Short mmCIF file of all heavy atoms in Angstrom, two decimals:
data_model
loop_
_atom_site.label_atom_id
_atom_site.label_comp_id
_atom_site.label_asym_id
_atom_site.label_seq_id
_atom_site.Cartn_x
_atom_site.Cartn_y
_atom_site.Cartn_z
N ARG A 12 14.98 6.06 -10.41
CA ARG A 12 14.83 6.87 -11.61
C ARG A 12 16.15 6.93 -12.40
O ARG A 12 16.16 6.82 -13.62
CB ARG A 12 14.36 8.28 -11.25
CG ARG A 12 14.06 9.15 -12.46
CD ARG A 12 13.57 10.54 -12.09
NE ARG A 12 14.53 11.24 -11.27
CZ ARG A 12 14.32 11.67 -10.03
NH1 ARG A 12 13.17 11.47 -9.44
NH2 ARG A 12 15.26 12.31 -9.36
N GLU A 13 17.24 7.08 -11.69
CA GLU A 13 18.55 7.21 -12.35
C GLU A 13 19.06 5.89 -12.91
O GLU A 13 19.69 5.87 -13.96
CB GLU A 13 19.57 7.77 -11.35
CG GLU A 13 20.93 8.01 -11.95
CD GLU A 13 21.90 8.61 -10.94
OE1 GLU A 13 21.45 9.16 -9.93
OE2 GLU A 13 23.12 8.51 -11.18
N HIS A 14 18.79 4.79 -12.23
CA HIS A 14 19.43 3.53 -12.60
C HIS A 14 18.51 2.49 -13.22
O HIS A 14 18.98 1.40 -13.58
CB HIS A 14 20.11 2.92 -11.37
CG HIS A 14 21.21 3.76 -10.83
ND1 HIS A 14 22.43 3.89 -11.45
CD2 HIS A 14 21.26 4.55 -9.72
CE1 HIS A 14 23.20 4.71 -10.75
NE2 HIS A 14 22.51 5.12 -9.70
N PRO A 17 19.49 1.65 -17.18
CA PRO A 17 20.75 0.88 -17.28
C PRO A 17 20.62 -0.51 -16.65
O PRO A 17 21.16 -1.49 -17.18
CB PRO A 17 21.77 1.73 -16.51
CG PRO A 17 21.22 3.10 -16.52
CD PRO A 17 19.73 2.95 -16.53
N PHE A 18 19.90 -0.61 -15.56
CA PHE A 18 19.70 -1.91 -14.90
C PHE A 18 18.95 -2.87 -15.81
O PHE A 18 19.35 -4.03 -15.98
CB PHE A 18 18.94 -1.72 -13.59
CG PHE A 18 18.49 -2.99 -12.95
CD1 PHE A 18 19.41 -3.85 -12.36
CD2 PHE A 18 17.15 -3.34 -12.95
CE1 PHE A 18 18.99 -5.04 -11.78
CE2 PHE A 18 16.72 -4.52 -12.37
CZ PHE A 18 17.64 -5.38 -11.78
N VAL A 35 7.79 -7.20 -12.45
CA VAL A 35 8.87 -6.50 -11.74
C VAL A 35 9.12 -5.15 -12.40
O VAL A 35 9.22 -4.11 -11.73
CB VAL A 35 10.15 -7.34 -11.69
CG1 VAL A 35 11.30 -6.56 -11.07
CG2 VAL A 35 9.91 -8.64 -10.93
N ASP A 41 5.66 1.87 -12.22
CA ASP A 41 4.53 2.45 -11.49
C ASP A 41 5.01 3.24 -10.28
O ASP A 41 4.45 4.29 -9.96
CB ASP A 41 3.54 1.37 -11.05
CG ASP A 41 2.75 0.80 -12.21
OD1 ASP A 41 2.75 1.40 -13.30
OD2 ASP A 41 2.11 -0.26 -12.02
N LEU A 43 7.76 4.90 -10.10
CA LEU A 43 8.28 6.18 -10.58
C LEU A 43 7.16 7.18 -10.88
O LEU A 43 7.38 8.39 -10.84
CB LEU A 43 9.16 5.97 -11.82
CG LEU A 43 10.49 5.26 -11.56
CD1 LEU A 43 11.22 5.02 -12.87
CD2 LEU A 43 11.34 6.04 -10.59
N GLY A 51 -1.63 12.06 -13.19
CA GLY A 51 -3.04 12.04 -12.84
C GLY A 51 -3.26 12.52 -11.42
O GLY A 51 -2.41 12.32 -10.55
N ARG A 56 -11.57 20.65 -3.15
CA ARG A 56 -11.89 22.05 -2.90
C ARG A 56 -12.71 22.19 -1.63
O ARG A 56 -13.58 21.39 -1.35
CB ARG A 56 -12.73 22.64 -4.02
CG ARG A 56 -12.01 22.81 -5.28
CD ARG A 56 -12.90 23.47 -6.31
NE ARG A 56 -12.21 23.47 -7.58
CZ ARG A 56 -12.79 23.69 -8.72
NH1 ARG A 56 -14.08 23.93 -8.76
NH2 ARG A 56 -12.11 23.68 -9.84
N CYS A 57 -12.41 23.22 -0.87
CA CYS A 57 -13.20 23.59 0.29
C CYS A 57 -13.88 24.91 -0.06
O CYS A 57 -13.22 25.96 -0.07
CB CYS A 57 -12.34 23.74 1.54
SG CYS A 57 -13.29 24.28 2.96
N PRO A 58 -15.19 24.88 -0.35
CA PRO A 58 -15.85 26.12 -0.77
C PRO A 58 -15.95 27.15 0.35
O PRO A 58 -15.98 28.35 0.09
CB PRO A 58 -17.24 25.65 -1.21
CG PRO A 58 -17.44 24.33 -0.58
CD PRO A 58 -16.08 23.74 -0.36
N ASN A 71 -0.44 2.37 -5.76
CA ASN A 71 -1.12 1.26 -5.08
C ASN A 71 -0.34 -0.05 -5.16
O ASN A 71 -0.91 -1.13 -5.15
CB ASN A 71 -2.54 1.05 -5.61
CG ASN A 71 -3.44 2.18 -5.24
OD1 ASN A 71 -3.37 2.71 -4.14
ND2 ASN A 71 -4.28 2.59 -6.17
N ARG A 73 2.85 -2.58 -3.70
CA ARG A 73 3.46 -2.91 -2.41
C ARG A 73 4.95 -3.21 -2.51
O ARG A 73 5.65 -3.23 -1.53
CB ARG A 73 2.76 -4.12 -1.81
CG ARG A 73 1.39 -3.79 -1.31
CD ARG A 73 0.71 -5.03 -0.89
NE ARG A 73 -0.13 -5.44 -2.02
CZ ARG A 73 -0.92 -6.47 -2.01
NH1 ARG A 73 -0.97 -7.23 -0.97
NH2 ARG A 73 -1.66 -6.75 -3.04
N CYS A 76 7.23 0.69 -3.34
CA CYS A 76 6.74 1.99 -2.92
C CYS A 76 6.49 2.00 -1.41
O CYS A 76 5.52 1.40 -0.94
CB CYS A 76 5.45 2.35 -3.66
SG CYS A 76 4.89 4.01 -3.30
N GLY A 81 3.24 1.00 2.91
CA GLY A 81 3.00 1.33 4.33
C GLY A 81 1.55 1.63 4.60
O GLY A 81 0.99 1.21 5.61
N ALA A 85 -0.87 -0.53 7.07
CA ALA A 85 -1.58 0.08 8.19
C ALA A 85 -3.08 -0.17 8.09
O ALA A 85 -3.74 -0.46 9.09
CB ALA A 85 -1.31 1.59 8.22
N GLU A 86 -3.65 -0.09 6.88
CA GLU A 86 -5.07 -0.36 6.69
C GLU A 86 -5.40 -1.81 7.05
O GLU A 86 -6.41 -2.10 7.69
CB GLU A 86 -5.50 -0.06 5.25
CG GLU A 86 -5.52 1.41 4.92
CD GLU A 86 -5.71 1.67 3.43
OE1 GLU A 86 -5.71 0.71 2.63
OE2 GLU A 86 -5.88 2.85 3.07
N LEU A 91 -7.58 -5.86 10.89
CA LEU A 91 -7.38 -7.04 11.73
C LEU A 91 -7.64 -6.73 13.20
O LEU A 91 -8.27 -7.52 13.91
CB LEU A 91 -5.95 -7.58 11.56
CG LEU A 91 -5.65 -8.27 10.25
CD1 LEU A 91 -4.16 -8.66 10.19
CD2 LEU A 91 -6.52 -9.50 10.07
N LEU A 105 -19.77 -13.71 26.37
CA LEU A 105 -20.14 -15.11 26.56
C LEU A 105 -19.38 -15.78 27.70
O LEU A 105 -19.77 -16.83 28.17
CB LEU A 105 -19.88 -15.90 25.27
CG LEU A 105 -20.73 -15.52 24.07
CD1 LEU A 105 -20.28 -16.31 22.86
CD2 LEU A 105 -22.19 -15.77 24.35
#
Side-chain angles (χ1 to χ4, degrees):
R12 185 179 59 241
E13 183 178 340
H14 296 287
F18 170 72
V35 174
D41 287 346
L43 290 176
R56 290 183 187 164
C57 177
N71 292 320
R73 288 173 263 182
C76 186
E86 289 170 353
L91 287 176
L105 295 176

